[in-house]
Amino acid sequence: MSLADRYYITTAIAYANNRPGLHTLFEVIGADVIARWHRMKGDDTRFLTGTDEHSVNIAQRAAELGKAPMEFANENVALFRAAEDALLISPDRFIRTTDPDHVRTAQEMVRRAYANGDIYLGTYEGWYCPAEGFKTASDVVETPNGSQCPNHPTVPLQWLSEHNWFFRLSAYQERLERHFEDHPDFARPDYRRNEMLGFIRGGLEDFSISRAGADWGIPFPIMPDGSSSQRPDGSWDPAAGKIYVWYDALINYVTGAGFPDDPAAFAHWWPADLHVIGKDIARFHTIYWPAMLWSAGLEAPRHVWIHGFLLAQGERMSKSLGNFLDPIDVVKTLGADGARYVTLREVAFDKDTDVSWDSFVRRYNADLANDFGNLLNRTISMANRYFDGERPAVGPEAGLAGVWADTLAVYGDRLEGCLLHDALRALWDVVGAANRLVEAEQPWTLAKAMKAGDEAAGVRLRAVLGDLVEACRLIALAAAPFMPTAAPRALAQLGYEYPYGPDGNGGPALLDELRWGGHAGQAGRLMTAEPLFPRLETEAATPAAG
RNA sequence: GGCUGGGUAGCUCAGUGGCAGAGCAAGCGGCUCAUAAUCGCUAGGUCGUUGGUUCAAAUCCAACCCCAGCUACCA
């Protein structure tokens, strides 16, 4: 990938029925890091995230609370935005499925599929739980008394039969298989790709894309006879029904790229480079979505990354189980940078991971307070003491330079390969190497010799501390996508300007800045050392929620 | 049931034929620049089980046991 490439990255849109947990925002933090990395590299980057607001469940929940669906959605979206702000998430657009342009886009996608002969009227049949909604055949439990909803055994299931529109997914089976074969890295990680490919090979059925009777949702734009469902006064005929789920939710990715209102923007941003999504919706993103796009004459996204879930003692974290972490609590305790680092270091980005409050606090103290924070602190403190605040330059034969070059290569590969936890692990190898260098060189011993008149010791001391300062600069800068405010604070203490904006835009190409000794000739003054990541006392570090 | 991933130190995991590894947690020692920090050392594993191939198996093969995922319309 060359410089000045454009890079369009998205997350799944979250279901706006409640306040978000860290397990929901995990994917958004990860995507934000990747977006910032590309912005800092100089790529023309667009990062899209947002909320999914149409569904019977949301309308129903709103009604229970005596609110209009939109009012209910607005409140929840505000909670999402507050949590994302606290986590320093930097979307270029926060999209809502209730946004007017998204409504137009979804309707246009339906029209295109219709024009292409890919949607037709059919009958959807299935079990319906009045307490919960439609159930799949595999969800329903067979008992001597008949079929039951596993979550609501006392509520009788209804067998519903509904007339609605279907998308001809079956027509795309061969093309999908070929796409997976021609683009082996379309869906990753590999084991998820294999699952999806297996699903395709098992045969594809058409799926329904409209619902009758719902009144909260995007109006289906076509009447059964093929005419427009829009009336002369601009309103939509309720008899046409609403667009159902995937022809609403998935469409946000092209809405966010400018389709169809802004053809120039769309030509620039589409196809998306990366959709970051959870494993629960892999099929819809890697199978339904490409087919829907092809049907509209558009290209499939380039890559879909499928991440796992956060677990608490082996159980999936969820709002309903109550075993989730509140992102606001985590930010309050660890700081925004700490929360981002610890989440992405503790949770593997390619599979499920068990996490706990204790593991988060341990990781924060070990990696941030003790290893990196203290490295920065001791380096600046010594340089201030021995050289009166003048920043020492890198030495002529720094052993760390080689370590750095190797690490940076691995770091970039892992980060661009979505193995964010591995990227951080690699970067922290340099932190360890730098701390070991301090012990090996014992700057305090060199300083005593220098004071006693040993010039060679003075030269060596300057070089050692220069290398340590350089290591701190590079580590902080490389970690900036993960820790967007710690990086500028660290660089300020080291006497460097931070040339990037709050979202990572502007400034020189990151990879140029990340060359060892890149600022060798530049004089500067160090600030007083100030702990970047104050150590947490374990007892004090208990979440408010318990 | 079928397919896929996994089962390695107290915890999280790396390790695809050559003397069992890392980080964290634990114990001991060193150092004093630093946020009771840091550096070194030690301890700790029948590598899920059983059999097989091989001079040599955590690694390859077979069977079995456990955990998780996928096996169609949930946001």
Side-chain angles (χ1 to χ4, degrees):
Chain A
M1 206 175 282
S2 63
L3 290 182
D5 272 341
R6 71 105 168 109
Y7 194 83
Y8 179 34
I9 178 173
T10 72
T11 70
I13 46 176
Y15 195 39
N17 66 336
N18 208 329
R19 65 169 56 246
L22 190 66
H23 56 289
T24 302
L25 263 21
F26 164 62
E27 134 185 342
V28 181
I29 302 171
D32 186 70
V33 167
I34 297 169
R36 288 173 179 273
W37 168 257
H38 281 279
R39 289 186 189 126
M40 292 178 78
K41 277 176 62 176
D43 294 341
D44 184 14
T45 302
R46 182 168 180 79
F47 172 34
L48 183 78
T49 188
T51 44
D52 184 6
E53 304 174 24
H54 292 130
S55 88
V56 233
N57 291 343
I58 288 200
Q60 198 174 315
R61 184 75 189 125
E64 283 165 21
L65 298 169
K67 292 172 179 168
M70 192 57 147
E71 182 190 3
F72 179 62
N74 285 342
E75 289 171 6
N76 289 319
V77 167
L79 294 173
F80 268 81
R81 301 219 60 161
E84 293 191 6
D85 285 349
L87 283 163
L88 307 172
I89 304 301
S90 60
D92 293 289
R93 173 172 174 185
F94 187 97
I95 191 168
R96 302 179 53 175
T97 53
T98 49
D99 286 341
D101 63 339
H102 174 71
V103 170
R104 287 196 297 277
T105 305
Q107 291 175 327
E108 175 63 14
M109 290 293 284
V110 168
R111 283 190 207 101
R112 287 205 177 197
Y114 181 75
N116 202 30
D118 282 331
I119 67 177
Y120 61 91
L121 278 169
T123 304
Y124 175 78
E125 293 189 322
W127 289 109
Y128 179 83
C129 171
E132 195 172 337
F134 282 90
K135 307 300 297 180
T136 72
S138 53
D139 284 341
V140 172
V141 179
E142 297 301 332
T143 72
N145 299 328
S147 302
Q148 286 188 351
C149 171
N151 302 326
H152 305 90
T154 56
V155 181
L157 277 177
Q158 299 169 11
W159 179 259
L160 280 200
S161 169
E162 203 179 275
H163 209 49
N164 50 33
W165 293 89
F166 280 74
F167 176 76
R168 219 180 285 283
L169 183 64
S170 54
Y172 291 90
Q173 168 149 358
E174 278 181 31
R175 186 164 175 188
L176 277 163
E177 267 190 62
R178 213 178 327 125
H179 188 73
F180 270 69
E181 275 151 19
D182 293 347
H183 306 278
D185 58 354
F186 167 63
R188 292 174 297 169
D190 285 346
Y191 75 100
R192 293 290 174 202
R193 170 183 184 272
N194 292 338
E195 283 179 6
M196 294 305 112
L197 193 49
F199 184 87
I200 296 169
R201 287 180 173 148
L204 296 176
E205 293 171 15
D206 301 342
F207 61 94
S208 62
I209 64 167
S210 72
R211 281 291 181 270
D215 48 28
W216 175 241
I218 299 179
F220 202 85
I222 300 168
M223 296 298 281
D225 66 0
S227 65
S228 171
S229 67
Q230 191 164 29
R231 295 146 157 171
D233 68 354
S235 67
W236 301 88
D237 189 337
K242 302 292 184 193
I243 297 178
Y244 180 60
V245 188
W246 303 115
Y247 254 93
D248 177 350
L250 291 169
I251 305 301
N252 90 86
Y253 304 126
V254 288
T255 307
F259 181 84
D261 293 351
D262 188 342
F266 187 67
H268 181 65
W269 294 115
W270 199 257
D273 293 275
L274 182 64
H275 291 325
V276 179
I277 61 155
K279 63 183 185 180
D280 52 337
I281 49 178
R283 187 196 315 145
F284 310 111
H285 282 77
T286 63
I287 298 174
Y288 288 25
W289 180 224
M292 290 160 60
L293 286 161
W294 292 331
S295 177
L298 307 177
E299 285 180 71
R302 288 176 179 150
H303 303 289
V304 178
W305 179 263
I306 301 152
H307 65 75
F309 292 140
L310 276 70
L311 310 178
Q313 289 158 357
E315 292 267 24
R316 177 180 175 182
M317 280 190 174
S318 71
K319 229 72 58 72
S320 48
L321 288 173
N323 59 348
F324 65 100
L325 295 170
D326 186 329
I328 303 287
D329 286 341
V330 179
V331 169
K332 272 185 190 149
T333 306
L334 308 183
D337 299 278
R340 292 165 60 100
Y341 174 91
V342 168
T343 301
L344 294 176
R345 179 65 185 80
E346 278 293 295
V347 185
F349 216 59
D350 58 342
K351 56 186 177 188
D352 293 357
T353 308
D354 214 279
V355 301
S356 67
W357 187 264
D358 282 351
S359 70
F360 272 32
V361 171
R362 264 205 303 278
R363 178 64 74 178
Y364 172 94
N365 276 338
D367 285 14
L368 296 181
N370 297 351
D371 287 348
F372 180 58
N374 186 54
L375 171 68
L376 182 72
N377 199 245
R378 70 199 303 208
T379 297
I380 293 172
S381 170
M382 285 190 283
N384 268 323
R385 174 171 310 199
Y386 304 141
F387 298 114
D388 236 3
E390 175 207 339
R391 184 177 61 220
V394 287
E397 48 179 26
L400 285 178
V403 176
W404 175 254
D406 294 345
T407 299
L408 180 60
V410 174
Y411 178 71
D413 279 354
R414 296 290 186 275
L415 205 159
E416 296 192 3
C418 293
L419 297 172
L420 304 181
H421 58 299
D422 279 340
L424 288 173
R425 173 164 35 194
L427 187 58
W428 250 246
D429 285 349
V430 184
V431 177
N435 273 320
R436 284 191 294 276
L437 181 71
V438 176
E439 306 299 324
E441 295 289 347
Q442 299 190 14
W444 49 92
T445 305
L446 291 169
K448 278 178 198 152
M450 178 177 74
K451 270 196 181 144
D454 182 341
E455 281 185 26
V459 169
R460 177 140 196 112
L461 176 61
R462 194 174 287 273
V464 168
L465 287 175
D467 289 350
L468 291 170
V469 165
E470 181 65 352
C472 288
R473 177 183 77 89
L474 293 168
I475 294 160
L477 207 46
F482 291 89
M483 301 196 285
T485 67
R489 282 189 292 139
L491 262 66
Q493 289 194 28
L494 295 165
Y496 285 109
E497 295 289 323
Y498 187 78
Y500 301 95
D503 57 4
N505 276 315
L510 180 61
L511 294 181
D512 291 339
E513 287 294 294
L514 288 179
R515 282 198 311 253
W516 182 271
H519 287 260
Q522 184 185 328
R525 294 201 60 82
L526 300 164
M527 293 171 60
T528 305
E530 183 104 16
L532 204 55
F533 302 104
R535 191 180 161 80
L536 297 171
E537 294 310 322
T538 325
E539 316 88 66
T542 308

